[in-house]
Amino acid sequence: MENQHFNTEITFNATPQQVFQAVNQVRQWWSENITGDTDRLHGEFSYRYQDVHHCRIRITEWVPNEKVVWHVVDNYFNFTGDPREWTGTNIIFELSEKDGKTHLQFTHQGLVPSYECFQVCHDAWTHYIQGSLAALVRTGQGSPTPKAAEATPSEALSANPAPAEHATTSIWHRLLIETPVETIYNALTTQEGLAGWWTPTTHAEPVVGSTSRFTFADYVKEMKVEELIPYSHVKWRCITGFADWIGTTITFTLEPRSNGSLLFLRHEGWAAYTPDLASCTYDWGMFLRSLKFLCETGKGLPYPHQYE
């Protein structure tokens, strides 16, 4: 049973002191929404991600430059049958030095495959440890959940509902992607991610007010980034493209699930039900399939391979 606990490991070209310091700067690699003491024995802190996940953690072991143990005192998930999964588990960071490098062994003791949340937590911890914490150690800059991520997915969905009388002039899609919301959000906002599932000729940055440019052979679409709520909501407005596209809005909304994430796409504002809208409905389905492949396997089917 012991080796069923989630664990991941990584080696750094850094001293144990540097890695230990980064581990305890929890707001710089996990979430800026953490409150409380994260850097002392018996310290307690709370983690919260919207209304999806929140927990209270106590530091029960603290050996400078060698080991830190967090005990999960209480936990709540809104997407599992038992919302208290994680409660009573231990999150362990162990450091060892060899040949001038530092090895980090991360174990979430008690997070086992029988948990409903196991797969999504497996992928999320991998994202934060192998991605964000590793970047903090190596570059001084992690990628924690920012404080701006306050609105819930349900609020994002209902913020600008499509009037019923215009339902035929909107495109809606819903699909399950078996990866955490962090992975999908990065694929929807970064240049590398967008190039991996939509078109390789992409110029984009995850900044509200910026313009993303997507080239398909001799045809160009430009999207103004209007809204970004990290890990839950992305909204674009088309400013360059086919006449029917200009002025339309494209919204991606994410909801965590125990087996991954639900993605909702809405392409709204079409003037009329046209053959182009019908064609675009199918094309969005193919590109969302490409997005799913990218997030789940690491390889999408961007233009011109979306129909393969």
Side-chain angles (χ1 to χ4, degrees), residues 153-187:
S154 58
E155 288 170 341
L157 274 171
S158 61
N160 186 27
E165 63 269 25
H166 295 305
T168 58
T169 57
S170 298
I171 296 170
W172 289 58
H173 284 284
R174 173 183 182 270
L175 74 156
L176 175 71
I177 300 178
E178 296 181 14
T179 55
V181 292
E182 292 89 347
T183 300
I184 305 168
Y185 183 81
N186 286 342

Side-chain angles (χ1 to χ4, degrees), residues 40-53:
R40 66 176 181 86
L41 183 63
H42 306 311
E44 288 197 7
F45 61 92
S46 295
Y47 165 88
R48 186 179 189 92
Y49 174 62
Q50 299 177 1
D51 65 346
V52 174
H53 180 203

Side-chain angles (χ1 to χ4, degrees), residues 26-91:
V26 185
R27 295 176 185 86
Q28 295 187 37
W29 63 264
W30 190 12
S31 174
E32 294 178 355
N33 299 299
I34 285 172
T35 57
D37 296 329
T38 67
D39 56 358
R40 66 176 181 86
L41 183 63
H42 306 311
E44 288 197 7
F45 61 92
S46 295
Y47 165 88
R48 186 179 189 92
Y49 174 62
Q50 299 177 1
D51 65 346
V52 174
H53 180 203
H54 50 86
C55 62
R56 182 162 57 93
I57 291 173
R58 179 181 300 126
I59 301 173
T60 57
E61 192 170 346
W62 176 278
V63 181
N65 308 325
E66 293 183 16
K67 187 176 184 180
V68 177
V69 178
W70 300 346
H71 180 71
V72 181
V73 178
D74 196 18
N75 188 79
Y76 168 79
F77 288 123
N78 77 348
F79 56 85
T80 57
D82 177 5
R84 299 188 73 244
E85 287 187 347
W86 274 34
T87 301
T89 63
N90 293 302
I91 299 165

Side-chain angles (χ1 to χ4, degrees), residues 88-167:
T89 63
N90 293 302
I91 299 165
I92 305 168
F93 303 81
E94 296 177 286
L95 307 180
S96 58
E97 185 177 14
K98 185 177 181 180
D99 299 328
K101 296 184 179 181
T102 301
H103 182 77
L104 168 64
Q105 179 74 41
F106 173 89
T107 304
H108 191 156
Q109 188 179 62
L111 176 60
V112 293
S114 59
Y115 271 19
E116 187 179 356
C117 75
F118 180 80
Q119 189 57 54
V120 71
C121 290
H122 172 289
D123 294 345
W125 272 135
T126 301
H127 166 83
Y128 285 111
I129 300 299
Q130 296 285 348
S132 185
L133 176 58
L136 179 61
V137 174
R138 290 167 176 159
T139 71
Q141 182 67 53
S143 53
T145 303
K147 282 187 176 180
E150 297 294 340
T152 65
S154 58
E155 288 170 341
L157 274 171
S158 61
N160 186 27
E165 63 269 25
H166 295 305

Side-chain angles (χ1 to χ4, degrees), residues 235-298:
K235 183 178 180 181
W236 301 336
R237 182 174 298 276
C238 183
I239 58 176
T240 301
F242 291 131
D244 284 356
W245 275 63
I246 295 176
T248 62
T249 59
I250 298 150
T251 304
F252 304 90
T253 304
L254 297 168
E255 291 187 6
R257 289 291 185 271
S258 61
N259 55 347
S261 310
L262 281 180
L263 169 67
F264 298 85
L265 175 138
R266 299 189 300 182
H267 189 167
E268 302 177 276
W270 293 74
Y273 189 85
T274 65
D276 282 344
L277 183 146
S279 176
C280 185
T281 300
Y282 179 74
D283 286 342
W284 271 127
M286 292 296 98
F287 282 117
L288 291 180
R289 171 175 169 264
S290 172
L291 172 63
K292 179 178 173 71
F293 285 171
L294 175 66
C295 293
E296 293 180 353
T297 72

